[in-house]
Amino acid sequence: MQYVSTRGSAPALGFEDVTLAGLASDGGLYLPEQWPSFSADQIRALSGLSYVETAVRVMTPFVAGSLSEDELRELCTAAYGRFSHQAVTPLVQLDHQQWLLELFHGPTLAFKDVALQLLGQLFERFLSRRDDHLTIVGATSGDTGSAAIDAVAGRSKIDIFMLHPEGRVSDVQRRQMTTVLAPNVYNIAIDGSFDDAQALVKAMFNDADFARRFNLSAVNSINWARLMAQVVYYFYAAVRLGAPERPVAFSVPTGNFGDVFAGYVAAQMGLPVAQLIVATNVNDILHRALSDGDYSQGQVVATATPSMDIQVSSNFERLLFDAGGRDGVALAAQMKGFEGSKAMRLTNAQRDGAAKILSSARIDADGMTMAMRWAFDAAGQVIDPHSAIGLAAAREAKVDPSVPVVTLATAHPAKFPTAVERATGVRPGVPGRVGDLFAREEAYAKLPATFEAITAYIAERATPRP
Ligand SMILES: *Cc1c(COP(=O)(O)O)cnc(C)c1O
């Protein structure tokens, strides 16, 4: 399988190179040259398979040329063996039409584990082959940092430096990062905001000498391998609810557009997806883009759903490319315009292509609270605020009553106990597997938010390229 860039001028690469590169050299994002296609019989044959076997069948075409089916199975077995539920991503029924797909049974309690546990395995495998070394540098406001650290802790070919804004992540989130004491993990609390942390990371990637010397790599959801891993659970859930005979709709709490784009990919591969509902909070750039073509950046408003407090969705570019007719040169110009003016209009082709399958909804704080209450009262389910945004959008959407609607439950409620308790009166307990978090020793550096201080700290500890 070859991959092409959304901006049309980077060379096509195989899966191994795309995984290690992250961003394409022309600033675009990689996508398969063409979508693999599954027949109704191939989809039917997935019924009853375990999560790992489903993952192997769904991902084999994407990794062709870089991994054999047996190698892929070995990596998936290792990645998904770390989940606490036998089904990895179990379905829960709420009423005659509404379902939850629980994606939070991984080590750090958010859906990011599904992709990052596999990405950690892929990195290690590919780096061993090349006898190369990576330095992962990232900024986090919470979930991505802990999931990435857990996925690479103790791996010999990778060092990870994770920046977080001091005092501005929750105690659970900080401890999930800082109590990982593996020698290749470096947590840095910066004296600044999340935006400052992100700007520092960007500056390091833009310093070509520094980036080359330490072979810098990112783990945010622009990495194709992360999206690929997320395609699997759409198949797994839909087959359990009657696909290919019966179509299924999904509602996805959305920030960077990675998770919902994986659903779009599943549909392109032949899975009968009746509708994909893009659920946003009041940071609604995606809802405005999908409902009237207006992709213009607003001010970020802090909400009870921090992982969706985003005003630019990096993976949206992949949808614009594919739904808009795959014209990389035109898209490069459109994106350059957006980077300059922070606003753009979708073309008619992009809007029509998206509208074939995507709808959207903007859910405010009241809608979120009502959905948490409804899940608890109607079905005895305690859900987290992000999942509640998805569920509120699912219940509002116009979907044929014969079509099941699956809301992706993206975080464990124990990650956001205060908001959950306020809505339902129930304080969710932390699951046993992370229960001793508050007894463990923490280690992290505290540094000023300056380029000089951060790069000096990293240069002293990172492994230069062989
Ligand atoms: C990251 C995250 C999201 C948003 O997912 P995207 O792929 O960025 O759209 C939603 N909910 C939770 C809990 C998350 O951690």
Side-chain angles (χ1 to χ4, degrees), residues 139-162:
T140 186
S141 56
D143 293 341
T144 301
S146 54
I149 286 171
D150 191 279
V152 304
R155 296 188 184 282
S156 60
K157 304 282 184 188
I158 303 171
D159 292 316
I160 184 165
F161 293 84
M162 191 56 66

Side-chain angles (χ1 to χ4, degrees), residues 204-224:
M204 283 185 258
F205 279 93
N206 286 339
D207 182 334
D209 286 340
F210 188 79
R212 205 172 315 111
R213 183 145 69 102
F214 295 109
N215 202 16
L216 290 196
S217 175
V219 287
N220 50 18
S221 61
I222 54 146
N223 194 304
W224 165 257

Side-chain angles (χ1 to χ4, degrees), residues 110-112 143 253-259 307-308 384 386 410-411:
F111 89 96
K112 302 215 164 45
D143 293 341
T254 297
N256 248 327
F257 207 78
D259 210 3
S307 298
M308 300 163 66
D384 104 287
H386 302 80
T410 49

